[in-house]
Amino acid sequence: DIEIIREQRPGHPPVFVLHCPVWLLNFTSPHLQLGFRCSDSFGRNQKQVIQAGGHGQCSISMLDARLRHVCLHLGQATSKLFPLDDPQVGDSGEMSVTAPEGTAGVRPGRYDFGVRVALCREVPDYDVRLVHIVPRYVAVNATKFRLKVRQAGSDELMVELGPGEQQQLVWPTEQVPHLQWTLASAQQDFRWSGAVSVLQPSEASTFVRAEAEALKW
């Protein structure tokens, strides 16, 4: 649904403005199909499937004008509701969806997304809300080596990245997220690094050691 606004100045004919007050800016992976369940002012639940964007790209979509809450779903898995009423510039939060085994088209595990609701400054005469959806955890390989990344405490490989590549992290377990990494080499085996927390922005130094070298210690 969209809004229709009637405006009229003295001595001028009326002007009807077709207005969409809620827009989605989706920065998630192009491999994900995200659905949004909208709870409108009449208490009805509506489902809207949104085309995902890509790394460094953004897909823009109109949402229901009566939208009051939004949640995400992957297959049958659904996140908690995120409120969109009366947003202030900079309002932000997070939503998580855990896709079970067998979910078509997506890797099983927990997907974390950041959500930010802002007022559009480009349209000062109307209340236009911009809902930003971004991956909350993205691994970026800024080295010249091919790397493997996993969640600490799990043997499941999360991603394998070549130099300059990046990918959203999907957590295989519900534990507090800590990462380990190692070199991906066909010539020799390397041990995993120490665990690094990703809960807060920070810097940490880690190192990996070749398996054959580690056996000498």
Side-chain angles (χ1 to χ4, degrees), residues 33-165:
Q33 185 182 52
L34 300 178
F36 295 81
R37 295 185 183 275
C38 309
S39 177
D40 62 24
S41 57
F42 293 95
R44 300 178 303 179
N45 289 323
Q46 302 178 4
K47 179 178 176 181
Q48 185 174 0
V49 177
I50 300 298
Q51 177 65 39
H55 299 306
Q57 301 177 354
C58 172
S59 65
I60 302 176
S61 307
M62 293 188 299
L63 296 178
D64 196 309
R66 294 173 294 186
L67 186 66
R68 296 297 178 267
H69 299 81
V70 67
C71 66
L72 305 177
H73 72 82
L74 296 173
Q76 300 299 317
T78 305
S79 72
K80 294 181 179 179
L81 289 175
F82 186 87
L84 300 180
D85 282 337
D86 301 324
Q88 301 296 321
V89 175
D91 276 3
S92 60
E94 60 184 78
M95 289 189 288
S96 298
V97 185
T98 300
E101 292 281 354
T103 303
V106 298
R107 180 179 178 178
R110 193 184 78 233
Y111 292 75
D112 292 324
F113 299 95
V115 186
R116 181 175 182 270
V117 182
L119 299 179
C120 180
R121 297 301 190 185
E122 302 299 323
V123 191
D125 295 333
Y126 304 101
D127 178 15
V128 177
R129 290 165 286 171
L130 305 178
V131 182
H132 301 73
I133 305 289
V134 298
R136 188 159 184 237
Y137 300 105
V138 178
V140 180
N141 184 0
T143 74
K144 62 180 180 180
F145 306 104
R146 190 165 189 84
L147 302 178
K148 295 179 181 179
V149 182
R150 75 178 184 183
Q151 183 178 7
S154 172
D155 294 330
E156 182 178 345
L157 182 66
M158 296 177 69
V159 293
E160 183 171 328
L161 300 171
E165 294 181 347

Side-chain angles (χ1 to χ4, degrees), residues 160-201:
E160 183 171 328
L161 300 171
E165 294 181 347
Q166 63 181 25
Q167 187 172 331
Q168 180 179 2
L169 295 177
V170 180
W171 304 98
T173 74
E174 295 293 333
Q175 298 176 0
V176 176
H178 289 73
L179 289 180
Q180 292 178 292
W181 65 276
T182 189
L183 298 181
S185 173
Q187 285 71 40
Q188 59 180 325
D189 294 328
F190 289 86
R191 290 196 170 186
W192 290 92
S193 71
V196 176
S197 174
V198 297
L199 290 178
Q200 299 293 335

